[in-house]
Coordinates of all heavy atoms in Angstrom, one line a residue:
M1417 N -17.0 13.1 12.8 CA -17.0 12.1 11.7 C -16.5 12.8 10.4 O -15.8 12.1 9.6 CB -18.5 11.7 11.5 CG -18.6 10.6 10.6 SD -17.8 9.1 11.2 CE -18.2 8.0 9.9
K1418 N -16.8 14.1 10.2 CA -16.4 14.8 9.0 C -14.9 14.8 9.0 O -14.2 14.7 7.9 CB -17.0 16.1 8.9 CG -18.4 16.1 8.5 CD -18.9 17.6 8.3 CE -20.4 17.6 7.9 NZ -20.9 18.9 7.6
M1419 N -14.3 15.1 10.1 CA -12.8 15.2 10.2 C -12.2 13.9 9.8 O -11.2 13.8 9.1 CB -12.4 15.6 11.6 CG -12.7 17.0 11.9 SD -11.8 18.2 11.0 CE -10.2 18.0 11.7
L1420 N -12.7 12.7 10.3 CA -12.2 11.4 10.0 C -12.3 11.1 8.5 O -11.4 10.6 7.9 CB -13.0 10.4 10.8 CG -12.5 8.9 10.6 CD1 -11.1 8.7 11.0 CD2 -13.4 8.0 11.4
S1421 N -13.5 11.5 7.9 CA -13.6 11.3 6.5 C -12.6 12.1 5.7 O -12.1 11.6 4.7 CB -15.1 11.7 6.1 OG -16.0 10.8 6.7
K1422 N -12.4 13.3 6.1 CA -11.5 14.2 5.4 C -10.1 13.7 5.5 O -9.3 13.7 4.6 CB -11.6 15.6 5.9 CG -12.8 16.4 5.4 CD -12.8 17.8 6.0 CE -14.1 18.5 5.6 NZ -14.1 19.9 6.1
A1423 N -9.7 13.2 6.7 CA -8.4 12.6 6.9 C -8.2 11.4 6.1 O -7.1 11.2 5.5 CB -8.2 12.3 8.4
L1424 N -9.2 10.5 6.0 CA -9.1 9.3 5.3 C -8.9 9.6 3.8 O -8.0 9.1 3.1 CB -10.3 8.4 5.5 CG -10.3 7.1 4.6 CD1 -9.1 6.2 4.9 CD2 -11.6 6.4 4.8
L1425 N -9.7 10.5 3.3 CA -9.6 10.9 1.9 C -8.3 11.5 1.6 O -7.6 11.2 0.6 CB -10.7 11.9 1.5 CG -10.7 12.5 0.1 CD1 -10.9 11.3 -0.9 CD2 -11.8 13.5 0.0
S1426 N -7.8 12.4 2.4 CA -6.5 13.0 2.2 C -5.4 12.0 2.2 O -4.5 12.1 1.4 CB -6.2 14.1 3.3 OG -7.1 15.1 3.3
T1427 N -5.4 11.0 3.1 CA -4.4 10.0 3.2 C -4.4 9.2 1.9 O -3.4 8.9 1.3 CB -4.6 9.1 4.4 OG1 -4.6 9.9 5.6 CG2 -3.6 8.0 4.5
V1428 N -5.6 8.7 1.5 CA -5.7 7.9 0.3 C -5.2 8.7 -0.9 O -4.4 8.1 -1.7 CB -7.2 7.5 0.0 CG1 -7.3 6.9 -1.3 CG2 -7.6 6.5 1.1
L1429 N -5.5 9.9 -1.1 CA -5.1 10.7 -2.2 C -3.6 10.9 -2.1 O -2.9 10.8 -3.1 CB -5.8 12.0 -2.3 CG -7.3 11.9 -2.7 CD1 -7.9 13.3 -2.6 CD2 -7.4 11.4 -4.1
A1430 N -3.1 11.2 -1.0 CA -1.6 11.5 -0.8 C -0.8 10.2 -1.1 O 0.2 10.3 -1.9 CB -1.3 11.9 0.6
F1431 N -1.2 9.1 -0.7 CA -0.5 7.8 -1.0 C -0.5 7.5 -2.5 O 0.4 7.1 -3.0 CB -1.0 6.6 -0.2 CG -0.5 6.6 1.2 CD1 -1.3 6.7 2.3 CD2 0.9 6.5 1.4 CE1 -0.8 6.7 3.6 CE2 1.4 6.4 2.7 CZ 0.6 6.5 3.8
G1432 N -1.7 7.8 -3.1 CA -1.8 7.5 -4.5 C -0.9 8.4 -5.3 O -0.2 8.0 -6.3
L1433 N -0.8 9.7 -4.9 CA 0.0 10.6 -5.7 C 1.5 10.5 -5.3 O 2.4 10.6 -6.2 CB -0.5 12.0 -5.4 CG -1.8 12.4 -5.9 CD1 -2.3 13.8 -5.5 CD2 -1.9 12.2 -7.4
L1434 N 1.8 10.2 -4.1 CA 3.2 10.1 -3.7 C 3.9 8.9 -4.2 O 5.1 8.8 -4.5 CB 3.3 10.2 -2.1 CG 3.0 11.5 -1.5 CD1 3.1 11.4 0.0 CD2 4.0 12.6 -2.0
S1435 N 3.1 7.8 -4.4 CA 3.7 6.6 -4.8 C 4.0 6.6 -6.3 O 4.6 5.7 -6.8 CB 2.7 5.4 -4.6 OG 1.6 5.5 -5.4
G1436 N 3.6 7.6 -7.0 CA 3.8 7.8 -8.4 C 2.9 6.9 -9.2 O 3.2 6.7 -10.4
S1437 N 1.9 6.4 -8.6 CA 1.0 5.4 -9.4 C 0.2 6.2 -10.4 O -0.2 5.6 -11.4 CB 0.1 4.7 -8.4 OG -0.7 5.6 -7.7
V1438 N -0.1 7.4 -10.2 CA -0.8 8.2 -11.2 C 0.1 9.3 -11.7 O 0.2 10.3 -11.1 CB -2.1 8.8 -10.5 CG1 -2.9 9.6 -11.6 CG2 -3.0 7.8 -9.9
G1439 N 0.7 9.0 -12.8 CA 1.6 9.9 -13.4 C 0.9 10.9 -14.4 O -0.2 10.6 -14.8
A1440 N 1.6 11.9 -14.7 CA 1.0 12.9 -15.6 C 0.7 12.3 -17.0 O -0.3 12.6 -17.6 CB 1.9 14.1 -15.8
E1441 N 1.5 11.4 -17.4 CA 1.3 10.7 -18.7 C 0.0 9.9 -18.7 O -0.8 10.0 -19.6 CB 2.5 9.8 -19.0 CG 2.3 9.1 -20.4 CD 3.5 8.2 -20.6 OE1 4.6 8.5 -20.2 OE2 3.3 7.2 -21.3
S1442 N -0.2 9.1 -17.7 CA -1.4 8.3 -17.6 C -2.7 9.2 -17.5 O -3.7 8.8 -18.1 CB -1.4 7.3 -16.5 OG -1.4 7.9 -15.2
L1443 N -2.6 10.3 -16.8 CA -3.8 11.1 -16.7 C -4.1 11.8 -18.0 O -5.2 12.0 -18.3 CB -3.5 12.2 -15.6 CG -3.6 11.7 -14.1 CD1 -3.3 12.8 -13.1 CD2 -5.0 11.0 -13.8
S1444 N -3.0 12.3 -18.7 CA -3.3 13.0 -19.9 C -3.9 12.1 -21.0 O -4.7 12.5 -21.8 CB -2.0 13.6 -20.5 OG -1.1 12.6 -20.8
Q1445 N -3.5 10.8 -21.0 CA -4.1 9.8 -21.9 C -5.5 9.5 -21.6 O -6.3 9.2 -22.5 CB -3.3 8.5 -21.9 CG -1.9 8.7 -22.4 CD -1.1 7.4 -22.2 OE1 -1.6 6.4 -21.6 NE2 0.1 7.3 -22.8
Q1446 N -6.0 9.7 -20.4 CA -7.3 9.4 -20.0 C -8.2 10.6 -19.8 O -9.3 10.5 -19.2 CB -7.3 8.5 -18.7 CG -6.4 7.3 -18.8 CD -6.9 6.3 -19.8 OE1 -8.0 6.3 -20.2 NE2 -5.9 5.6 -20.4
S1447 N -7.8 11.8 -20.2 CA -8.5 13.0 -20.0 C -9.9 12.9 -20.7 O -9.9 12.6 -21.9 CB -7.8 14.2 -20.4 OG -6.6 14.4 -19.7
V1448 N -10.9 13.2 -20.0 CA -12.3 13.1 -20.5 C -13.0 14.2 -19.8 O -12.8 14.4 -18.6 CB -12.9 11.8 -20.2 CG1 -14.4 11.8 -20.6 CG2 -12.2 10.7 -21.0
D1449 N -13.9 14.9 -20.5 CA -14.8 15.9 -19.8 C -15.8 15.2 -18.9 O -16.5 14.3 -19.3 CB -15.5 16.8 -20.8 CG -14.6 17.7 -21.6 OD1 -13.6 18.1 -21.0 OD2 -14.9 18.0 -22.8
T1450 N -15.8 15.5 -17.6 CA -16.7 14.9 -16.7 C -17.5 15.9 -16.0 O -17.1 17.1 -15.8 CB -15.9 14.1 -15.6 OG1 -15.0 15.0 -14.9 CG2 -15.1 12.9 -16.2
Q1451 N -18.7 15.5 -15.6 CA -19.6 16.4 -14.9 C -19.2 16.5 -13.4 O -19.1 17.6 -12.8 CB -21.0 15.9 -14.9 CG -21.6 16.0 -16.3 CD -23.1 15.4 -16.4 OE1 -23.6 15.1 -15.3 NE2 -23.6 15.4 -17.5
A1452 N -18.9 15.4 -12.8 CA -18.5 15.3 -11.4 C -17.5 14.2 -11.2 O -17.5 13.2 -12.0 CB -19.7 15.2 -10.5
T1453 N -16.7 14.3 -10.1 CA -15.8 13.2 -9.8 C -16.3 12.7 -8.4 O -16.4 13.4 -7.5 CB -14.4 13.7 -9.6 OG1 -13.9 14.2 -10.9 CG2 -13.4 12.6 -9.2
I1454 N -16.6 11.4 -8.4 CA -17.1 10.8 -7.2 C -16.0 9.7 -6.7 O -15.6 8.9 -7.5 CB -18.4 10.1 -7.4 CG1 -19.5 11.1 -7.8 CG2 -18.9 9.3 -6.2 CD1 -19.8 11.2 -9.2
I1455 N -15.6 9.8 -5.5 CA -14.6 8.9 -4.9 C -15.4 7.9 -4.1 O -16.0 8.3 -3.1 CB -13.6 9.6 -4.1 CG1 -12.8 10.6 -5.0 CG2 -12.6 8.6 -3.5 CD1 -11.8 11.5 -4.3
N1456 N -15.4 6.7 -4.5 CA -16.1 5.6 -3.8 C -15.3 5.2 -2.5 O -14.1 5.4 -2.5 CB -16.4 4.4 -4.7 CG -17.4 4.7 -5.7 OD1 -18.4 5.4 -5.4 ND2 -17.2 4.3 -6.9
P1457 N -16.0 4.5 -1.6 CA -15.2 4.0 -0.4 C -14.2 2.9 -0.9 O -14.4 2.4 -2.0 CB -16.3 3.3 0.4 CG -17.6 3.9 -0.1 CD -17.4 4.3 -1.5
I1458 N -13.3 2.6 -0.1 CA -12.3 1.6 -0.4 C -13.0 0.2 -0.4 O -13.6 -0.2 0.5 CB -11.1 1.6 0.5 CG1 -10.4 2.9 0.5 CG2 -10.2 0.4 0.3 CD1 -9.3 3.1 1.5
Y1459 N -12.8 -0.5 -1.5 CA -13.3 -1.9 -1.6 C -12.3 -2.8 -1.1 O -11.2 -2.8 -1.6 CB -13.7 -2.3 -3.1 CG -14.8 -1.4 -3.7 CD1 -14.5 -0.5 -4.7 CD2 -16.1 -1.6 -3.3 CE1 -15.5 0.2 -5.3 CE2 -17.1 -0.8 -3.8 CZ -16.8 0.1 -4.8 OH -17.8 0.8 -5.4
K1460 N -12.7 -3.6 -0.1 CA -11.7 -4.6 0.5 C -12.1 -6.0 -0.1 O -13.3 -6.4 0.1 CB -11.8 -4.6 2.0 CG -11.3 -3.3 2.5 CD -11.2 -3.2 4.0 CE -10.7 -1.9 4.5 NZ -10.4 -1.9 5.9
M1461 N -11.2 -6.6 -0.7 CA -11.5 -7.9 -1.4 C -10.4 -8.9 -1.0 O -9.3 -8.5 -0.6 CB -11.5 -7.7 -2.9 CG -12.7 -6.8 -3.3 SD -12.6 -6.4 -5.1 CE -12.4 -8.0 -5.9
R1462 N -10.6 -10.2 -1.3 CA -9.7 -11.2 -1.1 C -9.3 -11.7 -2.5 O -10.0 -11.6 -3.5 CB -10.2 -12.4 -0.3 CG -10.5 -12.0 1.1 CD -10.4 -13.1 2.0 NE -10.7 -12.8 3.4 CZ -9.7 -12.4 4.3 NH1 -8.5 -12.4 3.9 NH2 -10.0 -12.1 5.5
V1463 N -8.1 -12.3 -2.6 CA -7.6 -12.8 -3.9 C -8.6 -13.8 -4.4 O -9.2 -14.7 -3.7 CB -6.2 -13.5 -3.7 CG1 -5.8 -14.3 -5.0 CG2 -5.2 -12.5 -3.3
G1464 N -9.0 -13.7 -5.7 CA -9.9 -14.5 -6.3 C -11.3 -13.9 -6.4 O -12.2 -14.4 -7.2
W1465 N -11.6 -12.9 -5.6 CA -12.9 -12.3 -5.6 C -13.0 -11.4 -6.8 O -12.0 -10.8 -7.3 CB -13.2 -11.5 -4.4 CG -13.4 -12.3 -3.1 CD1 -13.2 -13.7 -3.0 CD2 -13.7 -11.8 -1.8 NE1 -13.5 -14.1 -1.7 CE2 -13.8 -12.9 -0.9 CE3 -14.0 -10.6 -1.3 CZ2 -14.1 -12.8 0.4 CZ3 -14.3 -10.4 0.0 CH2 -14.4 -11.6 0.9
S1466 N -14.3 -11.1 -7.2 CA -14.5 -10.1 -8.3 C -15.6 -9.2 -7.9 O -16.5 -9.5 -7.1 CB -15.0 -10.9 -9.6 OG -13.9 -11.7 -10.1
K1467 N -15.6 -8.0 -8.5 CA -16.6 -6.9 -8.3 C -16.8 -6.2 -9.6 O -15.9 -5.8 -10.2 CB -16.1 -6.0 -7.2 CG -17.1 -4.8 -7.0 CD -17.1 -4.3 -5.6 CE -18.2 -3.3 -5.4 NZ -19.5 -3.8 -5.4
G1468 N -18.1 -6.1 -9.9 CA -18.4 -5.3 -11.1 C -18.6 -3.9 -10.8 O -19.4 -3.5 -9.9
I1469 N -17.9 -3.0 -11.5 CA -18.1 -1.5 -11.3 C -18.5 -0.8 -12.5 O -18.8 0.4 -12.5 CB -16.8 -0.9 -10.7 CG1 -15.6 -1.0 -11.7 CG2 -16.5 -1.5 -9.3 CD1 -14.5 -0.1 -11.3
G1470 N -18.5 -1.5 -13.6 CA -18.9 -0.9 -14.9 C -20.4 -1.0 -15.1 O -21.1 -1.9 -14.6
T1471 N -20.9 -0.1 -15.9 CA -22.3 -0.1 -16.3 C -22.4 0.0 -17.8 O -21.4 0.4 -18.4 CB -23.2 1.0 -15.6 OG1 -22.6 2.2 -15.9 CG2 -23.2 0.8 -14.1
K1472 N -23.5 -0.2 -18.4 CA -23.7 -0.1 -19.8 C -23.2 1.4 -20.3 O -23.7 2.4 -19.7 CB -25.1 -0.3 -20.3 CG -25.3 -0.4 -21.7 CD -26.7 -0.8 -22.1 CE -26.8 -0.8 -23.6 NZ -28.1 -1.3 -24.1
G1473 N -22.3 1.4 -21.2 CA -21.9 2.7 -21.8 C -20.7 3.3 -21.0 O -20.2 4.4 -21.4
S1474 N -20.2 2.6 -20.0 CA -19.1 3.2 -19.2 C -17.8 2.6 -19.7 O -17.7 1.6 -20.4 CB -19.2 2.9 -17.7 OG -19.1 1.6 -17.4
R1475 N -16.7 3.3 -19.4 CA -15.4 2.9 -19.7 C -14.6 2.8 -18.4 O -14.4 3.7 -17.7 CB -14.7 3.9 -20.7 CG -13.3 3.5 -21.2 CD -12.9 4.4 -22.3 NE -12.8 5.8 -21.9 CZ -11.7 6.4 -21.5 NH1 -10.6 5.7 -21.4 NH2 -11.7 7.6 -21.2
V1476 N -14.1 1.6 -18.1 CA -13.4 1.3 -16.9 C -11.9 1.2 -17.2 O -11.5 0.4 -18.1 CB -13.9 0.0 -16.2 CG1 -13.1 -0.3 -15.0 CG2 -15.4 0.2 -15.9
V1477 N -11.1 1.9 -16.5 CA -9.6 2.0 -16.8 C -8.8 1.7 -15.5 O -9.1 2.3 -14.4 CB -9.2 3.4 -17.3 CG1 -7.7 3.5 -17.5 CG2 -10.0 3.7 -18.5
L1478 N -7.9 0.7 -15.6 CA -7.0 0.4 -14.5 C -5.9 1.4 -14.5 O -5.1 1.5 -15.4 CB -6.4 -1.0 -14.6 CG -5.4 -1.5 -13.6 CD1 -6.0 -1.5 -12.2 CD2 -4.9 -2.9 -14.0
V1479 N -5.8 2.2 -13.4 CA -4.9 3.3 -13.3 C -3.6 2.9 -12.6 O -2.5 3.2 -13.0 CB -5.5 4.6 -12.6 CG1 -4.5 5.7 -12.4 CG2 -6.7 5.1 -13.3
S1480 N -3.7 2.1 -11.5 CA -2.6 1.6 -10.8 C -3.0 0.2 -10.2 O -4.1 -0.1 -10.0 CB -2.1 2.5 -9.7 OG -3.1 2.5 -8.6
G1481 N -1.9 -0.6 -10.0 CA -2.2 -1.9 -9.5 C -2.2 -3.0 -10.5 O -2.8 -4.0 -10.4
H1482 N -1.5 -2.7 -11.6 CA -1.3 -3.7 -12.7 C -0.7 -5.0 -12.0 O 0.3 -4.9 -11.4 CB -0.5 -3.2 -13.8 CG -1.1 -2.0 -14.5 ND1 -2.0 -2.1 -15.5 CD2 -0.9 -0.7 -14.2 CE1 -2.4 -0.8 -15.8 NE2 -1.7 0.0 -15.1
G1483 N -1.3 -6.1 -12.2 CA -0.8 -7.3 -11.6 C -1.5 -7.6 -10.3 O -1.5 -8.7 -9.8
I1484 N -2.1 -6.6 -9.6 CA -2.8 -6.8 -8.4 C -4.3 -7.1 -8.7 O -4.8 -8.0 -8.1 CB -2.8 -5.5 -7.5 CG1 -1.4 -5.0 -7.3 CG2 -3.6 -5.7 -6.3 CD1 -0.6 -5.9 -6.4
V1485 N -4.9 -6.4 -9.7 CA -6.2 -6.7 -10.2 C -6.2 -6.7 -11.7 O -5.3 -6.2 -12.3 CB -7.3 -5.7 -9.7 CG1 -7.3 -5.6 -8.2 CG2 -7.0 -4.3 -10.2
S1486 N -7.2 -7.4 -12.2 CA -7.4 -7.3 -13.7 C -8.8 -6.7 -13.9 O -9.7 -6.8 -13.0 CB -7.3 -8.7 -14.3 OG -8.4 -9.5 -13.9
V1487 N -9.0 -6.0 -15.0 CA -10.3 -5.4 -15.4 C -10.6 -5.9 -16.8 O -9.8 -5.7 -17.7 CB -10.2 -3.9 -15.3 CG1 -11.5 -3.2 -15.7 CG2 -9.7 -3.4 -14.0
N1488 N -11.8 -6.4 -16.9 CA -12.2 -6.8 -18.3 C -13.1 -5.7 -19.0 O -13.3 -4.7 -18.4 CB -13.0 -8.2 -18.3 CG -14.4 -8.1 -17.6 OD1 -14.9 -7.1 -17.4 ND2 -14.9 -9.3 -17.4
Q1489 N -13.5 -6.0 -20.2 CA -14.2 -5.0 -21.0 C -15.6 -4.7 -20.5 O -16.2 -3.7 -20.8 CB -14.3 -5.4 -22.5 CG -15.2 -6.6 -22.7 CD -14.5 -7.9 -22.7 OE1 -13.5 -8.1 -22.0 NE2 -15.1 -8.9 -23.4
Y1490 N -16.1 -5.5 -19.5 CA -17.4 -5.2 -18.9 C -17.3 -4.5 -17.6 O -18.3 -4.2 -16.9 CB -18.2 -6.5 -18.7 CG -18.3 -7.3 -20.0 CD1 -17.5 -8.4 -20.3 CD2 -19.1 -6.8 -21.1 CE1 -17.6 -9.1 -21.5 CE2 -19.2 -7.5 -22.3 CZ -18.5 -8.6 -22.5 OH -18.6 -9.3 -23.6
G1491 N -16.1 -4.2 -17.1 CA -15.9 -3.5 -15.9 C -15.9 -4.4 -14.7 O -16.0 -3.9 -13.5
M1492 N -15.6 -5.7 -14.9 CA -15.4 -6.6 -13.8 C -14.0 -6.6 -13.3 O -13.0 -6.8 -14.1 CB -15.8 -8.0 -14.3 CG -15.7 -9.0 -13.1 SD -17.0 -8.8 -11.9 CE -18.5 -9.1 -12.8
V1493 N -13.8 -6.2 -12.0 CA -12.5 -6.2 -11.4 C -12.3 -7.5 -10.6 O -13.1 -7.8 -9.8 CB -12.4 -5.0 -10.5 CG1 -11.0 -4.9 -9.8 CG2 -12.7 -3.7 -11.2
T1494 N -11.1 -8.2 -10.9 CA -10.8 -9.4 -10.3 C -9.5 -9.3 -9.5 O -8.5 -8.8 -10.1 CB -10.7 -10.6 -11.3 OG1 -12.0 -10.7 -12.0 CG2 -10.4 -11.9 -10.6
A1495 N -9.5 -9.7 -8.3 CA -8.3 -9.6 -7.4 C -7.4 -10.8 -7.8 O -7.8 -11.9 -7.7 CB -8.7 -9.7 -6.0
L1496 N -6.1 -10.4 -8.1 CA -5.1 -11.4 -8.5 C -4.1 -11.8 -7.4 O -3.7 -12.9 -7.2 CB -4.4 -11.0 -9.8 CG -5.2 -10.6 -11.0 CD1 -4.4 -10.0 -12.1 CD2 -6.0 -11.9 -11.5
R1497 N -3.7 -10.7 -6.7 CA -2.8 -10.9 -5.6 C -2.9 -9.8 -4.6 O -3.5 -8.8 -4.9 CB -1.3 -11.1 -6.1 CG -0.7 -9.9 -6.7 CD 0.7 -10.2 -7.2 NE 1.3 -9.1 -7.9 CZ 2.0 -8.1 -7.4 NH1 2.3 -8.2 -6.1 NH2 2.5 -7.1 -8.1
A1498 N -2.3 -9.9 -3.4 CA -2.4 -8.9 -2.4 C -1.8 -7.6 -2.8 O -0.7 -7.6 -3.5 CB -1.8 -9.4 -1.1
G1499 N -2.4 -6.5 -2.4 CA -1.9 -5.2 -2.8 C -3.0 -4.2 -2.9 O -4.1 -4.4 -2.5
T1500 N -2.7 -3.0 -3.5 CA -3.7 -2.0 -3.7 C -3.8 -1.6 -5.2 O -2.8 -1.7 -5.9 CB -3.4 -0.7 -2.9 OG1 -2.2 -0.2 -3.3 CG2 -3.5 -1.0 -1.4
A1501 N -5.0 -1.1 -5.6 CA -5.2 -0.7 -7.0 C -6.2 0.4 -7.0 O -7.0 0.6 -6.1 CB -5.7 -1.9 -7.8
T1502 N -6.1 1.2 -8.1 CA -7.0 2.3 -8.4 C -7.6 2.0 -9.8 O -6.9 1.8 -10.7 CB -6.3 3.6 -8.3 OG1 -5.6 3.8 -7.1 CG2 -7.3 4.8 -8.6
V1503 N -8.9 2.1 -9.8 CA -9.6 1.9 -11.1 C -10.6 3.1 -11.3 O -11.4 3.4 -10.4 CB -10.4 0.6 -11.1 CG1 -11.1 0.4 -12.4 CG2 -9.5 -0.6 -10.8
Y1504 N -10.5 3.7 -12.5 CA -11.5 4.8 -12.8 C -12.6 4.2 -13.7 O -12.4 3.3 -14.5 CB -10.8 5.8 -13.7 CG -9.8 6.7 -13.0 CD1 -9.5 6.6 -11.6 CD2 -9.2 7.8 -13.6 CE1 -8.7 7.5 -11.0 CE2 -8.3 8.6 -13.0 CZ -8.1 8.5 -11.6 OH -7.2 9.3 -11.0
N1505 N -13.8 4.7 -13.4 CA -15.0 4.4 -14.2 C -15.5 5.6 -14.8 O -16.1 6.5 -14.1 CB -16.0 3.7 -13.3 CG -17.3 3.3 -14.1 OD1 -17.3 3.4 -15.3 ND2 -18.3 2.9 -13.3
Y1506 N -15.3 5.8 -16.1 CA -15.9 7.0 -16.8 C -17.3 6.5 -17.2 O -17.5 5.8 -18.2 CB -15.0 7.3 -18.0 CG -13.7 7.8 -17.7 CD1 -12.6 6.9 -17.7 CD2 -13.4 9.1 -17.3 CE1 -11.3 7.4 -17.4 CE2 -12.2 9.6 -17.0 CZ -11.1 8.7 -17.0 OH -9.8 9.1 -16.7
A1507 N -18.3 6.9 -16.4 CA -19.6 6.4 -16.6 C -20.4 7.2 -17.7 O -20.0 8.3 -18.1 CB -20.4 6.6 -15.3
A1508 N -21.4 6.5 -18.2 CA -22.2 7.1 -19.3 C -23.0 8.3 -18.9 O -23.3 9.1 -19.7 CB -23.2 6.0 -19.8
D1509 N -23.2 8.5 -17.6 CA -23.8 9.7 -17.0 C -22.9 10.9 -17.0 O -23.4 12.0 -16.6 CB -24.4 9.4 -15.7 CG -23.4 9.2 -14.6 OD1 -22.2 9.3 -14.9 OD2 -23.8 8.8 -13.5
G1510 N -21.7 10.8 -17.5 CA -20.7 11.9 -17.5 C -19.9 12.1 -16.3 O -19.1 12.9 -16.2
N1511 N -20.1 11.2 -15.3 CA -19.3 11.3 -14.0 C -18.1 10.4 -14.1 O -18.1 9.4 -14.7 CB -20.2 11.0 -12.8 CG -21.3 12.0 -12.6 OD1 -21.1 13.1 -12.8 ND2 -22.5 11.5 -12.2
L1512 N -17.1 10.8 -13.3 CA -15.9 9.9 -13.1 C -16.0 9.4 -11.7 O -16.1 10.1 -10.8 CB -14.6 10.8 -13.3 CG -13.4 10.1 -12.8 CD1 -13.1 8.8 -13.6 CD2 -12.2 11.1 -12.9
Y1513 N -16.0 8.0 -11.6 CA -16.0 7.3 -10.4 C -14.6 6.8 -10.1 O -14.2 6.0 -10.9 CB -17.1 6.2 -10.4 CG -18.5 6.8 -10.5 CD1 -19.0 7.0 -11.8 CD2 -19.3 7.0 -9.4 CE1 -20.3 7.5 -11.9 CE2 -20.6 7.5 -9.5 CZ -21.1 7.7 -10.8 OH -22.4 8.2 -10.9
I1514 N -14.0 7.2 -9.0 CA -12.7 6.7 -8.7 C -12.9 5.6 -7.6 O -13.5 5.8 -6.6 CB -11.8 7.8 -8.1 CG1 -11.6 8.9 -9.2 CG2 -10.4 7.3 -7.7 CD1 -10.9 10.1 -8.7
N1515 N -12.3 4.4 -7.9 CA -12.5 3.3 -7.0 C -11.1 2.8 -6.6 O -10.2 2.5 -7.4 CB -13.2 2.1 -7.8 CG -14.5 2.6 -8.4 OD1 -15.5 2.6 -7.7 ND2 -14.5 3.0 -9.7
Y1516 N -11.0 2.6 -5.2 CA -9.7 2.1 -4.6 C -10.0 0.7 -4.2 O -11.0 0.4 -3.6 CB -9.3 3.0 -3.5 CG -8.9 4.4 -3.9 CD1 -9.8 5.5 -3.7 CD2 -7.7 4.7 -4.5 CE1 -9.5 6.8 -4.1 CE2 -7.4 5.9 -4.9 CZ -8.3 7.0 -4.7 OH -7.9 8.2 -5.1
F1517 N -9.1 -0.2 -4.4 CA -9.2 -1.6 -4.0 C -8.0 -2.0 -3.1 O -6.9 -1.6 -3.4 CB -9.2 -2.5 -5.2 CG -10.4 -2.4 -6.0 CD1 -10.6 -1.4 -7.0 CD2 -11.5 -3.2 -5.8 CE1 -11.7 -1.3 -7.8 CE2 -12.7 -3.1 -6.6 CZ -12.8 -2.1 -7.6
E1518 N -8.4 -2.7 -2.0 CA -7.4 -3.2 -1.1 C -7.6 -4.7 -1.1 O -8.6 -5.2 -0.7 CB -7.6 -2.7 0.3 CG -6.6 -3.2 1.3 CD -6.9 -2.6 2.7 OE1 -6.8 -1.4 2.9 OE2 -7.2 -3.4 3.6
I1519 N -6.5 -5.4 -1.6 CA -6.6 -6.9 -1.8 C -5.8 -7.6 -0.8 O -4.7 -7.2 -0.5 CB -6.1 -7.3 -3.2 CG1 -6.8 -6.4 -4.3 CG2 -6.4 -8.8 -3.5 CD1 -8.3 -6.4 -4.4
R1520 N -6.4 -8.6 -0.1 CA -5.7 -9.4 0.9 C -5.8 -10.8 0.4 O -6.7 -11.2 -0.3 CB -6.4 -9.3 2.2 CG -6.2 -7.9 2.8 CD -6.9 -7.7 4.2 NE -8.4 -7.6 3.9 CZ -9.3 -7.7 4.8 NH1 -9.0 -8.0 6.0 NH2 -10.6 -7.6 4.4
N1521 N -4.9 -11.7 0.9 CA -4.9 -13.1 0.6 C -6.0 -13.8 1.3 O -6.6 -13.4 2.2 CB -3.6 -13.8 1.1 CG -2.4 -13.3 0.2 OD1 -2.6 -13.2 -1.0 ND2 -1.3 -13.1 0.8

């Protein structure tokens, strides 16, 4: 099971970096001191669905997937069309939560 988890994580990270969705410019603009980085499981959603990932005092940033999902000031992610997206949640507890979304019709 650990091997499968490591393989999935490696694949997700490789596709995100190889696709150029997270460029050095976007990362440098969002640099924040964090205590830990937590990668959440992939959220699978359908167009029109919404999921709240923000909490009081957190800052939610759409890193990739502009036009695939939208994120409001409260951390609500709404699926707009099919595709994939990455959303960072800089939480008030000092942790960075990385959220991957897979949107289907």
Side-chain angles (χ1 to χ4, degrees):
M1417 187 67 178
K1418 285 185 180 181
M1419 291 293 287
L1420 180 61
S1421 297
K1422 287 180 183 179
L1424 176 61
L1425 177 61
S1426 297
T1427 302
V1428 168
L1429 290 174
F1431 279 118
L1433 294 175
L1434 290 176
S1435 68
S1437 60
V1438 181
E1441 181 180 329
S1442 64
L1443 287 177
S1444 66
Q1445 291 175 354
Q1446 304 301 329
S1447 295
V1448 173
D1449 291 329
T1450 57
Q1451 292 180 6
T1453 300
I1454 296 101
I1455 300 175
N1456 288 320
I1458 297 172
Y1459 295 112
K1460 294 186 179 188
M1461 297 171 50
R1462 295 207 180 268
V1463 173
W1465 290 7
S1466 295
K1467 173 150 187 70
I1469 63 168
T1471 57
K1472 186 174 182 174
S1474 68
R1475 185 169 57 96
V1476 179
V1477 178
L1478 178 60
V1479 176
S1480 70
H1482 300 273
I1484 305 294
V1485 299
S1486 65
V1487 179
N1488 70 13
Q1489 69 268 27
Y1490 304 108
M1492 184 65 67
V1493 178
T1494 302
L1496 303 175
R1497 64 181 177 95
T1500 59
T1502 303
V1503 181
Y1504 286 4
N1505 178 8
Y1506 295 96
D1509 65 5
N1511 293 323
L1512 166 61
Y1513 295 87
I1514 300 175
N1515 304 278
Y1516 297 102
F1517 290 86
E1518 181 181 296
I1519 311 303
R1520 293 179 284 167
N1521 288 322

